Amino acid sequence: MNKKLKIILIIVGATLLSVLLYFGILHPRVKLLFQTLRVCAVMGGTSEIGDPILAYEKYDVKDDSFKMIDYGTYSVGVPSHWTDQSDEDSIFITYGRKSTTDEDVLAEALAATGNGQDCSNMILLNRDLYESDEIWYSVNNGFERLGYGMPTTAYDSIRIALSMDSKDYNLLNYNKSAAFTYALAYRAGSFFLYDGVTSWSYLYEDENKCGYIHEEYREDYDYYRYTFSFYDPDDLNTEYTIVLYTKEKDTAYAIINSLEFND
């Protein structure tokens, strides 16, 4: 066997060995990469996942003139001149004020049912989400490495998904990337993505409640629309939601800040 043939055989052998290592040892990483790309594609791109949720900073906006509306599990304040606008056949209890130019149109309003939704099936560390103990253990380790806390509740699962940065993904760290990918799927389906131009999303946390605020300016109607999905700190698996339409941001902030769970 001549020297040239030996070199070719060595190169072919090394290539085959590399292929075997790639699909034998690194195969889970390859599978994970494609899974991540599929989730990113759902979000509108192959790599851009959007910016992390913003920190809410308007906790000091209050209005002592508000009247409190009791929704059963919680109470929330609204401007004193807002009145009950609920439709007879609707499950929503709505308070607001009518437009001065069109009595059939609500200019500002708060709508809610008072009922909570059990979201315990959304807990990212639920064992039944994963096809094997090995993957579940990897994801647990990955969330520890991501540093946003452990998603042992529905609230924390969504909070972590919305807080992640694209820099958190590193295919060389399988555990961290696995946790990132599973959380990313929750982010892809979330209402709380924002563009930073006409919409914004905020993480709200105080001693009485926690949750996420989506703020959107509707230029066609010249008002701000808010969706506030929130949790009682004593029950982070039950989600409640209120929807607000206001002309001024501070009105919405004061309403959100006034909300408190009843004993």
PDB file of all heavy atoms in Angstrom, residues 67-80:
ATOM      1  N   LYS A  67     -63.130  54.393  43.686  1.00  0.00           N
ATOM      2  CA  LYS A  67     -64.062  53.530  44.424  1.00  0.00           C
ATOM      3  C   LYS A  67     -63.675  52.087  44.136  1.00  0.00           C
ATOM      4  O   LYS A  67     -63.240  51.746  43.029  1.00  0.00           O
ATOM      5  CB  LYS A  67     -65.507  53.799  44.012  1.00  0.00           C
ATOM      6  CG  LYS A  67     -65.807  53.559  42.540  1.00  0.00           C
ATOM      7  CD  LYS A  67     -67.252  53.923  42.212  1.00  0.00           C
ATOM      8  CE  LYS A  67     -67.554  53.746  40.720  1.00  0.00           C
ATOM      9  NZ  LYS A  67     -68.935  54.166  40.376  1.00  0.00           N
ATOM     10  N   MET A  68     -63.809  51.226  45.143  1.00  0.00           N
ATOM     11  CA  MET A  68     -63.398  49.839  45.012  1.00  0.00           C
ATOM     12  C   MET A  68     -64.561  48.971  44.515  1.00  0.00           C
ATOM     13  O   MET A  68     -65.673  49.075  45.018  1.00  0.00           O
ATOM     14  CB  MET A  68     -62.880  49.302  46.332  1.00  0.00           C
ATOM     15  CG  MET A  68     -61.624  50.016  46.846  1.00  0.00           C
ATOM     16  SD  MET A  68     -60.192  49.872  45.718  1.00  0.00           S
ATOM     17  CE  MET A  68     -59.790  48.123  45.907  1.00  0.00           C
ATOM     18  N   ILE A  69     -64.278  48.133  43.533  1.00  0.00           N
ATOM     19  CA  ILE A  69     -65.263  47.197  42.984  1.00  0.00           C
ATOM     20  C   ILE A  69     -64.884  45.794  43.439  1.00  0.00           C
ATOM     21  O   ILE A  69     -63.750  45.348  43.241  1.00  0.00           O
ATOM     22  CB  ILE A  69     -65.301  47.256  41.446  1.00  0.00           C
ATOM     23  CG1 ILE A  69     -65.466  48.697  40.955  1.00  0.00           C
ATOM     24  CG2 ILE A  69     -66.408  46.356  40.914  1.00  0.00           C
ATOM     25  CD1 ILE A  69     -66.705  49.385  41.437  1.00  0.00           C
ATOM     26  N   ASP A  70     -65.825  45.096  44.043  1.00  0.00           N
ATOM     27  CA  ASP A  70     -65.575  43.757  44.576  1.00  0.00           C
ATOM     28  C   ASP A  70     -65.885  42.706  43.505  1.00  0.00           C
ATOM     29  O   ASP A  70     -67.022  42.574  43.055  1.00  0.00           O
ATOM     30  CB  ASP A  70     -66.451  43.519  45.809  1.00  0.00           C
ATOM     31  CG  ASP A  70     -66.087  42.229  46.540  1.00  0.00           C
ATOM     32  OD1 ASP A  70     -65.381  41.385  45.951  1.00  0.00           O
ATOM     33  OD2 ASP A  70     -66.522  42.064  47.694  1.00  0.00           O
ATOM     34  N   TYR A  71     -64.855  41.964  43.101  1.00  0.00           N
ATOM     35  CA  TYR A  71     -65.027  40.893  42.114  1.00  0.00           C
ATOM     36  C   TYR A  71     -65.028  39.514  42.772  1.00  0.00           C
ATOM     37  O   TYR A  71     -64.864  38.508  42.099  1.00  0.00           O
ATOM     38  CB  TYR A  71     -63.924  40.973  41.053  1.00  0.00           C
ATOM     39  CG  TYR A  71     -64.225  41.970  39.957  1.00  0.00           C
ATOM     40  CD1 TYR A  71     -63.821  43.290  40.067  1.00  0.00           C
ATOM     41  CD2 TYR A  71     -64.911  41.585  38.815  1.00  0.00           C
ATOM     42  CE1 TYR A  71     -64.093  44.209  39.062  1.00  0.00           C
ATOM     43  CE2 TYR A  71     -65.186  42.482  37.804  1.00  0.00           C
ATOM     44  CZ  TYR A  71     -64.776  43.798  37.926  1.00  0.00           C
ATOM     45  OH  TYR A  71     -65.056  44.704  36.924  1.00  0.00           O
ATOM     46  N   GLY A  72     -65.214  39.496  44.073  1.00  0.00           N
ATOM     47  CA  GLY A  72     -65.274  38.228  44.794  1.00  0.00           C
ATOM     48  C   GLY A  72     -63.920  37.828  45.348  1.00  0.00           C
ATOM     49  O   GLY A  72     -63.640  38.027  46.530  1.00  0.00           O
ATOM     50  N   THR A  73     -63.062  37.291  44.510  1.00  0.00           N
ATOM     51  CA  THR A  73     -61.734  36.870  44.953  1.00  0.00           C
ATOM     52  C   THR A  73     -60.836  38.077  45.200  1.00  0.00           C
ATOM     53  O   THR A  73     -59.956  38.041  46.052  1.00  0.00           O
ATOM     54  CB  THR A  73     -61.092  35.943  43.908  1.00  0.00           C
ATOM     55  OG1 THR A  73     -61.982  34.868  43.626  1.00  0.00           O
ATOM     56  CG2 THR A  73     -59.776  35.379  44.410  1.00  0.00           C
ATOM     57  N   TYR A  74     -61.061  39.129  44.438  1.00  0.00           N
ATOM     58  CA  TYR A  74     -60.226  40.329  44.556  1.00  0.00           C
ATOM     59  C   TYR A  74     -61.090  41.568  44.381  1.00  0.00           C
ATOM     60  O   TYR A  74     -62.243  41.495  43.930  1.00  0.00           O
ATOM     61  CB  TYR A  74     -59.100  40.324  43.506  1.00  0.00           C
ATOM     62  CG  TYR A  74     -59.594  40.284  42.083  1.00  0.00           C
ATOM     63  CD1 TYR A  74     -59.909  41.454  41.387  1.00  0.00           C
ATOM     64  CD2 TYR A  74     -59.768  39.075  41.415  1.00  0.00           C
ATOM     65  CE1 TYR A  74     -60.375  41.430  40.087  1.00  0.00           C
ATOM     66  CE2 TYR A  74     -60.233  39.027  40.104  1.00  0.00           C
ATOM     67  CZ  TYR A  74     -60.541  40.208  39.448  1.00  0.00           C
ATOM     68  OH  TYR A  74     -61.011  40.167  38.155  1.00  0.00           O
ATOM     69  N   SER A  75     -60.525  42.709  44.753  1.00  0.00           N
ATOM     70  CA  SER A  75     -61.184  44.003  44.554  1.00  0.00           C
ATOM     71  C   SER A  75     -60.235  44.917  43.793  1.00  0.00           C
ATOM     72  O   SER A  75     -59.012  44.796  43.902  1.00  0.00           O
ATOM     73  CB  SER A  75     -61.548  44.642  45.900  1.00  0.00           C
ATOM     74  OG  SER A  75     -62.497  43.857  46.594  1.00  0.00           O
ATOM     75  N   VAL A  76     -60.808  45.844  43.034  1.00  0.00           N
ATOM     76  CA  VAL A  76     -59.977  46.754  42.244  1.00  0.00           C
ATOM     77  C   VAL A  76     -60.654  48.119  42.202  1.00  0.00           C
ATOM     78  O   VAL A  76     -61.882  48.214  42.143  1.00  0.00           O
ATOM     79  CB  VAL A  76     -59.745  46.193  40.820  1.00  0.00           C
ATOM     80  CG1 VAL A  76     -61.059  45.995  40.077  1.00  0.00           C
ATOM     81  CG2 VAL A  76     -58.803  47.070  40.019  1.00  0.00           C
ATOM     82  N   GLY A  77     -59.847  49.176  42.237  1.00  0.00           N
ATOM     83  CA  GLY A  77     -60.379  50.532  42.219  1.00  0.00           C
ATOM     84  C   GLY A  77     -60.562  51.071  40.812  1.00  0.00           C
ATOM     85  O   GLY A  77     -59.776  50.752  39.908  1.00  0.00           O
ATOM     86  N   VAL A  78     -61.599  51.896  40.634  1.00  0.00           N
ATOM     87  CA  VAL A  78     -61.831  52.571  39.356  1.00  0.00           C
ATOM     88  C   VAL A  78     -62.208  54.022  39.660  1.00  0.00           C
ATOM     89  O   VAL A  78     -62.636  54.346  40.778  1.00  0.00           O
ATOM     90  CB  VAL A  78     -62.962  51.901  38.543  1.00  0.00           C
ATOM     91  CG1 VAL A  78     -62.592  50.468  38.182  1.00  0.00           C
ATOM     92  CG2 VAL A  78     -64.296  51.956  39.275  1.00  0.00           C
ATOM     93  N   PRO A  79     -62.060  54.921  38.693  1.00  0.00           N
ATOM     94  CA  PRO A  79     -62.466  56.316  38.912  1.00  0.00           C
ATOM     95  C   PRO A  79     -63.911  56.406  39.384  1.00  0.00           C
ATOM     96  O   PRO A  79     -64.774  55.627  38.954  1.00  0.00           O
ATOM     97  CB  PRO A  79     -62.286  56.949  37.523  1.00  0.00           C
ATOM     98  CG  PRO A  79     -61.171  56.149  36.893  1.00  0.00           C
ATOM     99  CD  PRO A  79     -61.406  54.738  37.373  1.00  0.00           C
ATOM    100  N   SER A  80     -64.169  57.346  40.274  1.00  0.00           N
ATOM    101  CA  SER A  80     -65.480  57.433  40.929  1.00  0.00           C
ATOM    102  C   SER A  80     -66.621  57.704  39.947  1.00  0.00           C
ATOM    103  O   SER A  80     -67.771  57.367  40.226  1.00  0.00           O
ATOM    104  CB  SER A  80     -65.449  58.526  42.002  1.00  0.00           C
ATOM    105  OG  SER A  80     -65.081  59.772  41.432  1.00  0.00           O
TER     106      SER A  80
END
